[in-house]
Amino acid sequence: MGNKTYAMIKPDAIRNGYMGKIIDHTINAGFKILGAKLIRLTKAQAEGFYAIHRERPFFSELTEFMSSGQTMVLALEKDNAVSDWRKTIGATNPEEAEDGTIRKKFATSLSENAVHGADSDENAKIEIGFFFNDSELISNQ
Ligand code: GDP
C-alpha cells in the first residue's frame, strides 16, 4: 500500500465556499498536504486528465465543468492514502455517500461532486505527476 494519493477540490466546492472546510476535513482525517495549488484547468488539461472517460456520454459535461473555474490540486500523504481518501470522500454520487463524508457534506450532484480521489496507487502517482514536480512535494507537517 502506498502512502500518497492525488486529490482535487473541484470548481463547484470552491464556488460554494467550501475550500477551507474541505482542507480542514482533510487534515482532521489524518492526511498531510505534500503539495497544493489553486489553478484553473484548461479544457485540454481536463480532457487529458479524464481521458479514460473519453467514450462516456458525460465526458463533455465533465470536462466543461472541470474547466469552469478554480480547482485546488492536492498531493496527500497518509498510510493507505488511496483507500483512506476514497473512504473520506464517499461514493461518487453524493446521494449514495455515507454520512460524514466530504461528498455527503459538500457535493451538489453526481457530476458536481466536490472532490476527486485517485482510485489506485498507480493512478495516484500518474495524477500527482500531472500537476507537481518532485521539488514541489514537501513534508513538514
Ligand atoms: P470517481 O472516481 O468517484 O470520481 O468517479 P468516476 O471515475 O466514475 O467518474 C469521474 C467523475 O465523472 C465523477 O467524479 C463525476 O464528477 C463525473 N461523473 C461520473 N458519472 C457521471 C454521470 O453519470 N454523469 C455526469 N454528468 N458526471 C459523471
Side-chain angles (χ1 to χ4, degrees), residues 17 22 25 36 38 40-41 43 47 50-51 54 56 60 64 70 72-73 87 89-90 94 96-97 105-106 109 124:
I22 292 172
H25 191 122
L38 194 54
R40 180 173 183 162
L41 297 184
K43 187 82 173 0
E47 288 168 354
Y50 282 112
R54 205 181 309 112
R56 308 283 283 274
S60 165
E64 284 288 338
Q70 290 174 309
M72 178 163 273
V73 297
K87 278 186 214 136
I89 66 178
E96 291 162 13
K105 286 165 77 175
F106 302 117
S109 65

Side-chain angles (χ1 to χ4, degrees), residues 11-66:
D12 62 310
I14 294 184
R15 264 195 293 273
N16 292 332
Y18 296 140
M19 183 168 58
K21 286 192 164 71
I22 292 172
I23 292 171
D24 252 8
H25 191 122
T26 302
I27 292 168
N28 289 336
F31 293 88
K32 290 181 179 171
I33 297 176
L34 293 183
K37 293 182 198 178
L38 194 54
I39 62 174
R40 180 173 183 162
L41 297 184
T42 63
K43 187 82 173 0
Q45 272 179 311
E47 288 168 354
F49 185 83
Y50 282 112
I52 195 169
H53 293 310
R54 205 181 309 112
E55 306 301 330
R56 308 283 283 274
F58 58 83
F59 183 65
S60 165
E61 189 185 336
L62 173 61
T63 54
E64 284 288 338
F65 161 61
M66 287 303 295

Side-chain angles (χ1 to χ4, degrees), residues 10 50 53 58 61-62 86 92 103 110-111 113 116-117:
K10 297 185 180 183
Y50 282 112
H53 293 310
F58 58 83
E61 189 185 336
L62 173 61
R86 297 286 303 196
T92 306
R103 282 172 168 162
L110 172 59
S111 52
N113 60 359
H116 167 80

Side-chain angles (χ1 to χ4, degrees), residues 2-17:
N3 66 345
K4 291 188 184 64
T5 193
Y6 175 74
M8 294 188 280
I9 304 176
K10 297 185 180 183
D12 62 310
I14 294 184
R15 264 195 293 273
N16 292 332

